[in-house]
């Protein structure tokens, strides 16, 4: 249900911007980054919480996980806040590093390209989670896929930031 809600929110934001005389890709990019980050953080928190309970409850008791719903939710919330704090700290450091290098809020061409990249990333995350949930893929495999995907995203993001920095430097 939460994946469907995210998809509806993104489609609503895109439709709202399409109704405007000029599409503000910068706002859409920020929205897509936030919602994609939230999806990844929630998924990671869920998988890591399951792993903690699996270790804590032993392998033979994992089928009775429904009995520990309150504990699972508590651990998931704590893990989600820890991951969120780490992500915000990383983003803050990156913003401080790159804030003087470029300002993309006014460059329509860069924002349009970033929008396509972020929309593809959002769609990929949704497809990964939807197909793995639909096919009954185990949480361990889902976590591995998601971590690999996040690692690749981090590398692509770093490369994109460097390319934008060089582009804006040359433009100046």
């Amino acid at each position: 249900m939460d994946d469907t809600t995210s998809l509806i929110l993104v489609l609503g934001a895109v439709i709202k911007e399409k109704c405007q005389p000029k599409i503000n890709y910068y706002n859409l990019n920020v929205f897509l980054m936030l919602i994609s980050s939230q999806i990844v953080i929630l998924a990671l928190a869920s998988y890591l919480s399951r792993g903690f309970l699996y270790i804590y409850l032993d392998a033979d008791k994992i089928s009775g996980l429904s009995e520990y719903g309150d504990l699972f939710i508590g651990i998931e919330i704590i893990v989600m806040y820890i991951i969120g704090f780490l992500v915000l700290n990383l983003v803050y450091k990156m913003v401080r590093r790159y804030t003087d290098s470029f300002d993309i809020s006014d460059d329509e061409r860069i924002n349009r390209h970033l929008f396509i990249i972020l929309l593809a990333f959002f769609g990929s995350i949704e497809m990964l989670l939807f197909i793995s949930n639909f096919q009954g893929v185990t949480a361990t495999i889902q976590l591995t896929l998601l971590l690999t995907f996040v690692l690749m995203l981090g590398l692509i993001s770093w490369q994109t930031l460097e390319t934008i920095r060089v582009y804006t430097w040359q433009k100046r």
Side-chain angles (χ1 to χ4, degrees):
M1 186 67 169
D2 57 347
D3 293 333
T4 307
T5 305
S6 299
L7 188 60
I8 291 170
L9 284 172
V10 168
L11 287 175
V14 170
I15 290 169
K16 178 184 171 259
E17 285 297 327
K18 284 278 190 185
C19 293
Q20 303 295 327
K22 184 179 177 189
I23 297 175
N24 188 343
Y25 287 107
Y26 184 76
N27 288 344
L28 284 174
N29 290 343
V30 170
F31 182 72
L32 276 172
M33 282 190 284
L34 289 173
I35 204 154
S36 298
S37 300
Q38 186 65 30
I39 290 169
V40 170
I41 288 171
L42 287 173
L44 286 175
S46 176
Y47 298 141
L48 291 175
S49 300
R50 282 186 209 166
F52 291 148
L53 285 178
Y54 181 76
I55 291 168
Y56 178 72
L57 298 177
D58 293 330
D60 58 335
K61 297 181 185 177
I62 197 66
S63 61
L65 190 61
S66 61
E67 299 172 16
Y68 301 98
D70 294 337
L71 181 62
F72 175 72
I73 291 172
I75 291 173
E76 187 176 23
I77 290 171
I78 291 169
V79 170
M80 184 177 57
Y81 278 113
I82 291 170
I83 293 172
F85 175 75
L86 293 173
V87 167
L88 283 175
N89 196 11
L90 178 68
V91 168
Y92 176 73
K93 287 180 181 179
M94 288 184 73
V95 166
R96 283 189 46 202
R97 178 177 179 200
Y98 288 103
T99 204
D100 295 334
S101 300
F102 59 88
D103 180 22
I104 62 170
S105 60
D106 295 332
D107 195 328
E108 184 76 19
R109 202 166 133 210
I110 290 177
N111 281 314
R112 192 175 325 116
H113 287 289
L114 276 176
F115 173 72
I116 293 168
I117 291 169
L118 290 170
L119 193 60
F121 172 68
F122 173 76
S124 301
I125 290 175
E126 286 294 322
M127 284 289 241
L128 173 79
L129 294 176
F130 178 73
I131 291 172
S132 61
N133 285 335
F134 184 70
Q135 291 294 323
V137 175
T138 63
T140 307
I141 295 172
Q142 279 182 336
L143 178 62
T144 305
L145 288 171
L146 194 63
L147 286 175
T148 304
F149 198 72
V150 168
L151 177 65
M152 292 303 292
L153 170 73
L155 293 172
I156 290 169
S157 298
W158 174 72
Q159 185 62 44
T160 303
L161 285 172
E162 287 296 321
T163 303
I164 291 171
R165 185 180 64 77
V166 169
Y167 171 77
T168 54
W169 179 76
Q170 287 177 345
K171 192 175 172 182
R172 279 189 209 148

